[in-house]
Amino acid sequence: MKLHGYLWVLGSLFCLGACERSNKETPHLSDNGGRIVAPYGSWLSPLSANDVFEQADNVAELQSVDGAIYFSESDGDKQGQVGIKRLDKKGNIADVVPPSFNVKSAVHEYGGAAFLGIGQSLFATKAHDQLFYRFAPNQPPLPLTPNGTRHADCIAYPKGSRIICVREDHRQPGEPKASLVTINLNFAGEGDTFVSGHDFISSPAISPDNSQLAWITWEHPYMPWDNSILWLGDLDRKGQLHNIRKVNTPTDSSVTQPLFSPDGQLYVVSDISNWWNIYRVTAQNTLAPVLNKKAEFAVADWYLGNHNYAFESEKTIIASYMLGSQAALIRLHLDSGLTESLAVDFGEITQVIRGEDAVYFVGAKATPEKGIYKVIGRGTELVYTPNLPKLDPNYISRAKNITFKTGVNQQAYGYFYGPVNPNYTAPHDTRPPLIVMLHGGPTARASLAYRSDIQFWTSRGFAVLDVNFRGSSGFGRAYRQSIYGKWGQADVEDAVNAARYLVDKGWVDGQKLAIRGVSAGGLTVMSSLAFYDVFQAGVSYAGISDFEQLAKSTHKFETGYLDQLIGPYANNQARYRELSPLYHLEGLNEPLLIFQGLRDQIVPPQQSRKIYEALKVRGVPTAYIAYQDEPHGGWKPEHRAAGLETELAFYGQVFNFTPAGKLATLVLDNAAALKPTLVRNQ
């Protein structure tokens, strides 16, 4: 988030340079160890807001093509645009598609699986126009698909030189139509439809001998992790699809990540046992368990193209899973059912694929280390790393896993990060301010993978709690669905109870509790402030505040999501208003900082502005900052960085400390109404 190119509106201004601070305390040297004694939050950090997002190249998707590994990588120096690179057997890296092309699909709005490599050619979706392009040696990029269509999750199909893709067709009024289509490799055209008649289609997989095709469908009002179906069909010599049959699974279960073994056996991940485990499809079209483990061998499919396992050989599978907070990699021997642990020191493992010589994956650790890894024997080897944050390990806060009571005889989870800075210590008998962080979704999850945005706060003297509230994925189907019928209630209870738990432990200052969130997390922020008197400050990034509006205007992928999370709108209108913080602003009396993109199709800008205006009139300290060209998600790095700096200035005013460094000061409406912060025993 750079400091230009965005719109400041409605009285939310920055005073650049030497602005007056609210806290005049001067840091002084401690008698013990030469560390500077300074209030929590005021510590000088080597990690700037720009560093958080500009040093943020990220490897997303892997593919094995003719002995090389192709991968997509977002470039922090180029506003997060995505290009494609090639890693050869000798470790050489070549740019195949420049970041300026920006490879991103918008199928299901969230995209994923936006490119495919075949031989010397590469095929990719361009973010700007959503056309599917061919990149061939010594030729300009050639668009192959019609305007108004989106494509992703493509696989090679040698019959007739074609590609099989998931298509989302937006050319007609009403909902976009889903299908599986074949696209010619060499010239533009409409293509041929393989599969249609379903609300959603994903995950095509073809057998090694090109004789069978598998895919997944689901229908409204379900999400792919609710109720989804695995299909199987035969491909004849002319490339036509016949004998389509459904694999028998329980109604209340999901399937994901179909994959054929080298000998043509179909495998899939399903949660019929509560946990996403790997299964083999039998000759009777049923599922037989490969491994029963109380762990998640899949993720919620917000994006297409997730891969948690791959065949190392006909008899061995390399698989990644989440077990509570632990991301692990194992080798599974199919004959014996025995497993070998390959790695347990990762915070996140994704994109497990079979290469020509080994299995590869994308891994991220609790430290800045991340990149592409290769499985070698009983271990792993880092073979490529993107541009990484360069933060001294002495400044890195390591998470503590916490479990706390919530709801009615229930529990939730989180990762607690204490303040860490080797140059500072806080005044005697004080506790750090707490920032409770909330992931989006709400069916997403927090992980232990290193996050610079968390270290931005901890290295300045804040404590951070990253919450896996009820409804988060990674803890089994029952936990994932424990928010169903209770969104706007269960997640809010969990955020509040998490903060109370940490105060009771004596780890944080109960008078300096902040809560921040994006989208669904922003809803939890505003609801926590409106319905509870626990937090002293909130920050909402494009936060949802009106369930009624969301039910009427959301995109196709999430059309039925609220039916699960709250209940069908037609029968629950009163409940939708009861849970919407927009209609309960009389209870929101604590300072609130609001960020909003003006091209947001999920949260209308006028909704956030309405909240701002109402709080301003009521005398609540507040500010509203809008970014002219930003949609609901995927904000530019300069805007994200500006947001962090604004937040820091906001917390400084609310909690009465002076942030270190040359930082712009936020002018809050109704700042005179800020409550004096109680400082314990000083």
Side-chain angles (χ1 to χ4, degrees), residues 645-659:
E645 292 185 343
T646 308
E647 269 194 75
L648 181 57
F650 174 69
Y651 297 141
Q653 290 192 50
V654 174
F655 297 143
N656 196 31
F657 67 85
T658 303

Side-chain angles (χ1 to χ4, degrees), residues 237-252:
R237 293 181 179 180
K238 295 181 179 180
Q240 300 301 309
L241 190 62
H242 301 283
N243 189 26
I244 295 175
R245 61 266 191 202
K246 181 169 63 174
V247 176
N248 296 315
T249 55
T251 301
D252 295 326

Side-chain angles (χ1 to χ4, degrees), residues 337-624:
L338 297 176
T339 61
E340 300 174 54
S341 176
L342 302 177
V344 294
D345 57 340
F346 286 90
E348 194 81 37
I349 297 175
T350 61
Q351 293 295 306
V352 181
I353 67 159
R354 181 187 183 187
E356 185 178 78
D357 60 336
V359 169
Y360 293 78
F361 65 94
V362 177
K365 299 193 175 184
T367 60
E369 181 182 318
K370 67 178 179 181
I372 301 174
Y373 292 79
K374 178 181 180 179
V375 175
I376 299 179
R378 292 193 172 186
T380 64
E381 176 187 342
L382 180 64
V383 295
Y384 172 79
T385 185
N387 181 32
L388 296 176
K390 300 174 179 62
L391 184 61
D392 185 326
N394 291 315
Y395 290 88
I396 295 176
S397 177
R398 299 296 189 101
K400 295 180 180 178
N401 299 323
I402 68 163
T403 302
F404 56 93
K405 294 180 180 179
T406 191
V408 180
N409 299 319
Q410 294 174 287
Q411 62 184 25
Y413 311 94
Y415 305 129
F416 176 78
Y417 297 82
V420 173
N421 188 314
N423 301 319
Y424 289 87
T425 188
H428 176 67
D429 201 23
T430 61
R431 299 289 182 268
L434 172 69
I435 301 175
V436 172
M437 290 190 172
L438 302 161
H439 61 69
T443 310
R445 64 179 172 86
S447 83
L448 286 177
Y450 174 87
R451 286 175 51 183
S452 288
D453 59 330
I454 288 178
Q455 305 300 326
F456 174 89
W457 299 111
T458 56
S459 60
R460 285 169 167 77
F462 288 83
V464 172
L465 179 65
D466 204 5
V467 184
N468 272 316
F469 48 80
R470 282 172 288 169
S472 302
S473 54
F475 299 85
R477 181 181 178 90
Y479 190 79
R480 195 169 69 242
Q481 293 191 337
S482 62
I483 199 173
Y484 281 10
K486 298 179 180 179
W487 188 30
Q489 177 185 340
D491 51 314
V492 177
E493 288 177 351
D494 294 353
V496 167
N497 288 329
R500 287 171 171 167
Y501 172 83
L502 295 177
V503 172
D504 290 343
K505 296 282 284 187
W507 294 356
V508 300
D509 189 335
Q511 300 298 320
K512 298 180 180 179
L513 303 177
I515 182 170
R516 75 189 298 270
V518 180
S519 187
L523 166 84
T524 311
V525 168
M526 290 182 281
S527 294
S528 297
L529 297 180
F531 300 129
Y532 291 87
D533 188 21
V534 171
F535 295 98
Q536 290 81 41
V539 179
S540 170
Y541 285 84
I544 296 165
S545 62
D546 184 357
F547 284 127
E548 284 190 304
Q549 181 277 328
L550 187 64
K552 295 174 182 178
S553 64
T554 193
H555 53 82
K556 178 188 175 183
F557 182 65
E558 296 181 23
T559 297
Y561 198 21
L562 289 178
D563 290 6
Q564 312 302 315
L565 293 169
I566 301 175
Y569 174 68
N571 301 324
N572 295 274
Q573 294 184 32
R575 178 67 171 163
Y576 273 59
R577 279 188 165 246
E578 178 187 343
L579 293 172
S580 298
L582 181 65
Y583 301 108
H584 300 278
L585 296 180
E586 72 282 353
L588 205 166
N589 300 304
E590 303 299 334
L592 178 65
L593 176 60
I594 302 170
F595 293 92
Q596 179 67 46
L598 295 185
R599 289 199 301 111
D600 196 325
Q601 299 297 311
I602 305 300
V603 177
Q606 62 268 27
Q607 193 176 105
S608 292
R609 179 167 179 166
K610 182 177 180 180
I611 293 173
Y612 163 77
E613 293 283 10
L615 296 181
K616 182 180 177 181
V617 168
R618 290 182 52 244
V620 177
T622 186
Y624 173 71

Side-chain angles (χ1 to χ4, degrees), residues 24 155 221 240 287 316 416 492 520 591 634:
K24 300 300 184 183
I155 58 174
Q240 300 301 309
L287 298 185
T316 56
F416 176 78
V492 177

